[in-house]
Amino acid sequence: MTTATVTGKPDEPVVATRNYLTEEGVTLRSWLLTKDHKRIAILYTLSITFFFFVGGAAATLIRLNLVTPAGIFTPDIYNRLFTLHGIVMVWFFLIPSIPNTMGNFLIPLMIGAKDLAFPRLNLLSWYLYVGAGFLALFAILIGGVDTGWTFYTPFSSLYSNGYVVLALAAVFAIGFSSILTGLNFIVTTHRMRAPGMTWYRLPVFVWSNYATSVIMVLATPVLAITLMLVAVERLLRVGIFDPALGGDPLLFQHLFWFYSHPAVYIMILPGFGVISEIVPCFARKPLFGYKFVVWSSITIAIIGFFVWAHHMFVAGISLYAGLVFSLLSYVIAVPSAIKVFNWTATLHKGWISFDAPMLYALGFIGLFTIGGLTGLFVANLAFDVHVTDTYFVVAHFHYIMVGGMVSAYFGGLHYWWPKVTGRLYPEWWARIAALLIFFGFNLTFFPQFILGYLGMERRYYSYPPEFQAWNIFSSAGASVLAVGYALPFFYLGWSLFRGKRAGSNPWAATGLEWQTSSPPPAHNFDKTPTVTRPPYQYRPEPEPQDV
Amino acid sequence: MQLLPPTASAHAADMDWLFAALIGTSAFILLLVFGLMIGFCVRYRKGSKVERGNRLGRTWRVETAWTVATFIGFLGLYFWGADLYVGIHSPPKDATDIYVVGKQWMWKIEHPGGQREIDTLHVPVGKPVRLVLTSQDVIHDFAIPAFRVRQDAVPGRYEALWFTPTKVGEYRLFCAEFCGTWHARMGGSVVVMEPSDFQRWLDSQDPGPSLAQEGEALFRSYGCSGCHGTASTVHAPKLEGLFGRPVPLQDGRTVIADDRYIRDSILKPKSEIAAGYPPVMPSFAGQIGEDDLLKLVAYIKSLADKTAENSQTGQSAGQSQAGSSAGSAERPAQ
Ligand code: HEM
Ligand SMILES: [Cu+2]
C-alpha cells in the first residue's frame, strides 16, 4: 500500500520518509500556516496538553488546600483556583480534546478523504482556540475570576470581584472555534467519503464525532448569547438576570444549561467513539450491535437537549418541570447503558489482548459505568435534593468526564500514537501508567461520593472537621493520579526519538487509517481507497501485518 | 470515620431507603457488567484454548431485551424518587412558617413571633416547619444534610422548604450555592428542641413586635393603607381575608393569593391585575427591602381569617389576630 519508503534497521518495519511531518517543510512558519488537518491536529494536541497541565496544576492545589479542614489558601485564592480549574478543564480541555486532536487527524483518514472540507477554517479555529486560551490566562494573571465555571447570575453579573468579562470573552471566542470545527466535520462527513463508504460503513468514531458536531453547532450559539447577556448586564447594568434591576436569575440557568447539558455529551460522545474503535481491535471481533451503538449516539445527541433542567431541581423550578426533566434524564440513561452492554458483549468469544490502549478502554468502561449509574442517583428527584451542590455531584461528573473521557483520550492517544508519529512507545510503561491512573482515580473520587452524602458542599475552601478523613484519602489519590498523568508525557516524549518504528498497522486493525503509511503522507492516500466491507471485520487471530 | 449523616427528620429516613434501593440496583448492574467483563477477559484472553465458534450473529433481540429491561428498572426508581419529591413539596397545613433571608454571608432568620436569629435555627421536635426562603443579593442555598433537604434562596423570589424534625440535637446547616468569598463559612446549625424547651427559648428571646405587627406599621408608613385601608376612598381590593383565597384576574385567569402573589403584587402590580380594579397601584420595586417585604407579607397573611366588615371594628382587633395566627409563638399584643 505504501510507496516511497526506505528501510529502517533490518529488524524494523520500513518507514515512509515522505510524510506530513516533513513534506511541507519543517519551519515554524510551515506549521503556523499549514492547512493540513494532521498538522493542525498536532498543533491542537500541543496546546491542549498545555491547558491540561494548567488545569491539572490547579486541581493539585485544590486537593492540597482540602487536606486540612481550615484550608491553606485564603478563600479568594481558593475560589479563583476552582474557577480556573473548571473553566480550563471544561472549555480548553474536555470539549475540544478528542474532536480537535483525534477527530481532526482521523476523520479524513477514516473516510478516505484527502483533508477536511474547509482547511482554512480549520486553521482559523485553532487560532481562535489559542487566542481564547491566552485571553483566559491573561484574566487569571491579572487577578483571576471567582464565579465558578458556571457563571451563575446575579453573582457573576454584578457581585463577583474577578475579571469576569475577560473570562466571558475567552469562552465566547472558544465557542466560535467549536462551531467552526463542528461545521467542518459535518460537511466533511457528508461530502468527502470515499467510494463505497456508506453511512453504515462509517467507523463509530466518525459517527460519534458527527453527533458531537451537530450538538456543537446547535447548542454553542445559545451559550454565546447567554454569556454576552451576562457581560451586558455587568458592564451596562441593564436588568436581565438580576431581580434588583428587574431581571430573572433563573433565566440564566435555563439558558446556560440548555447549552451545558448537551455540552456534557460533547465531552463524552467522542470518547464513546474511541472506545468503540479500541475494543473490537483488541478483542479481534466486530463491534457487537454496530447499528445500536450508532443510533444510541444519535439518540443521546437529541435527548441531550431536553434534560437541562435536571441541574435545577432545587433552584425553584415548578414541581411539574422537576417531574418531567427527571423522567427525561432517566430516558437518556438508557442509550448510555446500551453502549456499556455492547462493549462488554464485544468481548464475548473474542481473542483479547491487553495492550495499553485496551487497558485504558477497559478502565473507561468500568469508570463510565460507575459515573453513569450515579447519574441515575442525581437524576432522581428526591435524592438530588439531598446531594446536589455537594461532593456527590463532583464525584459523579468526574467519574464520567475524568474517569471516562480522559481515559478515552489517553486510550486513543496510545492507540493512534504509532499512526501519528510512526513510533511505538515502551509498552510496559504505558501499562503501568494505565493502572496507576485507574487506581489513583478511584482513590481520589470514590471518597467524594461518601463526602457528598455526608453533606460536604462543593466549592468550600474550608469544611467541618468530621469530613477530614475522606478528604485525606481523596488528596492522597490525587497525588497517585498526578503521577499517572505525568508518566505518558515522559515515555511518549522519549518514544518520539527512540521508539521502535511502528509500521503502517502495528495493531493489525481494519480501519482505513491503517491502510496508509505511518506517519501518513500529506495527502493521506496515494490512491483514493474504495471501501467494500463494513467496519470491524476482525478475525480471531491477527492477520499478518500489512506493510 | 463517618459513613452516613445523622438522620433527624421523617423524610431523612425515607430518603435513606431510596438511597439503599439506588445502591442495590447499581450494585446489581455493576456486578453484572464487571463480572461479565472480567469473566470474558479471562476466558477469552489471547491464547486461551476455549471454544469460540458459533458467535452470536443477529443482535437485535438481545439489544431490545436489555434496552427494555433497563428502562423498566429505571422507571421504578424514578417513581420512587418522584413520590418523595412531591412529598417534600407539599407542606402540611399546620406547618409553622419561619422566614429566612440569605445575604452575603449569613442567614437571617425570623420567627413568626418576631424572634430573630442569625445562622442558627431553633425548631421544636415533631412539629412541621416551613421555611420561606429568599435572598437579598445573590443565589444562596439552604441545606440541612441531617434532614436531607435543601432549597435555593433566590433573590426576587420566595421558595419554600419544609421538614418535621424527629430527633432532638444540633445539626449542621450549610450554604450550598456558591455565593462569593465566604461561601464556605456561610453556615451554622439547626437546633432541634423539646417543644417545652423551645417555648422557653422563644420566651427568653427579646422579640420586640411580631412580624405581622411590624408589617402593619410598614403598611401605613409605605402608604399602602392610603388605598387598601378601610377608610380609603380609592377603589382598591381590601386585603382582609385575601390570603389563601383564589383571586380572579382581569385576563380571565384565577390565581391563589399566596406569598408569591402578594410579593409580586407589591413589586410588579401590573403583572396580575385583580379583576374589577383599575391598574393604578404603583410598583414598590427597589423601595422595599427583603426584610420589610417579609413583614408586609406576614401582615397580610395575618388578615387571612378576617373579613372586610370585621376589620371595621378597628386596629386593635387586627393586632390580636396577627398575634394568634403566629401559632405557637402566641403572645398578647403589647
Ligand atoms: C454521559 C456523560 C455525562 C457527563 C459528561 C455528565 C456531566 C455532568 C456534569 C459536568 C455535571 C455537573 C454540573 C454542575 O456543575 O452542577 C453533571 C450533573 C448532573 N448529571 Fe451528569 N453527566 C453525564 C451523564 C449523566 C447521566 C447519564 C445522567 C442521568 C441519568 C446525568 C445526570 C446528571 C444530573 C441529574 C446532574 C445534576 C446534578 C446536580 O447538579 O444535582 N448525567 N453531570
Ligand atoms: Cu451563600
Side-chain angles (χ1 to χ4, degrees), chain A residues 424-498:
Chain A
L424 291 173
Y425 45 82
E427 179 65 26
W428 188 83
W429 281 104
R431 291 188 194 184
I432 293 291
L435 294 176
L436 267 185
I437 290 176
F438 185 81
F439 287 112
F441 180 86
N442 281 297
L443 185 55
T444 310
F445 291 104
F446 201 83
Q448 297 186 2
F449 284 124
I450 300 168
L451 276 174
Y453 198 76
L454 289 177
M456 174 155 166
E457 313 298 334
R458 70 197 285 203
R459 299 173 170 176
Y460 267 24
Y461 81 99
S462 143
Y463 53 82
E466 66 262 27
F467 297 151
Q468 187 176 15
W470 296 113
N471 273 297
I472 290 181
F473 277 119
S474 184
S475 295
S479 29
V480 179
L481 193 56
V483 174
Y485 283 145
L487 267 184
F489 191 70
F490 295 106
Y491 65 76
L492 290 178
W494 179 90
S495 89
L496 281 181
F497 305 99
R498 295 287 169 79

Side-chain angles (χ1 to χ4, degrees), chain A residues 236-264:
Chain A
L236 308 177
R237 313 253 141 191
V238 181
I240 300 164
F241 304 120
D242 185 3
L245 304 174
D248 177 2
L250 292 195
L251 174 64
F252 173 83
Q253 294 184 27
H254 282 293
L255 292 171
F256 180 83
W257 288 114
F258 184 77
Y259 164 80
S260 292
H261 193 83
V264 306

Side-chain angles (χ1 to χ4, degrees), chain A residues 76 146 313-314 316 323 342 349-350 352 377 380 383 385-386 388 453 457 459-462 466 470, chain B residues 2 16 19 26 44 46 52-53 55 63 77-78 81 85 150-152 157 172 175-176 178 181 183 185:
Chain A
D76 276 328
D146 64 351
F313 289 154
V314 300
L323 294 172
N342 277 287
K349 298 199 172 176
I352 307 166
F377 289 51
N380 191 293
F383 191 83
V385 169
H386 175 49
T388 188
Y453 198 76
E457 313 298 334
R459 299 173 170 176
Y460 267 24
Y461 81 99
S462 143
E466 66 262 27
W470 296 113
Chain B
Q2 242 183 320
D16 285 354
F19 184 41
S26 332
Y44 299 111
K46 182 168 83 184
R52 289 183 175 86
R55 290 174 169 183
E63 300 275 3
L77 291 171
Y78 164 76
Y85 186 74
R150 78 182 57 219
Q151 175 65 51
D152 282 4
R157 298 168 77 114
R172 290 198 186 275
C175 172
F178 181 71
T181 308
H183 164 59
R185 287 285 162 85

Side-chain angles (χ1 to χ4, degrees), chain A residues 278-346:
Chain A
I278 296 179
V279 171
C281 176
F282 293 91
R284 318 282 335 146
K285 263 194 66 189
L287 182 66
F288 187 88
Y290 167 86
K291 288 188 186 173
F292 281 83
V293 175
V294 165
W295 282 101
S296 66
S297 291
I298 307 289
T299 314
I300 288 174
I302 297 168
I303 313 177
F305 278 98
F306 301 100
V307 299
W308 77 87
H310 72 203
H311 298 269
M312 301 168 63
F313 289 154
V314 300
I317 56 172
S318 77
L319 182 63
Y320 303 102
L323 294 172
V324 170
F325 279 101
S326 170
L327 183 61
L328 287 169
S329 304
Y330 271 87
V331 171
I332 201 171
V334 175
S336 310
I338 292 179
K339 307 237 191 206
V340 171
F341 294 142
N342 277 287
W343 294 319
T344 308
T346 304

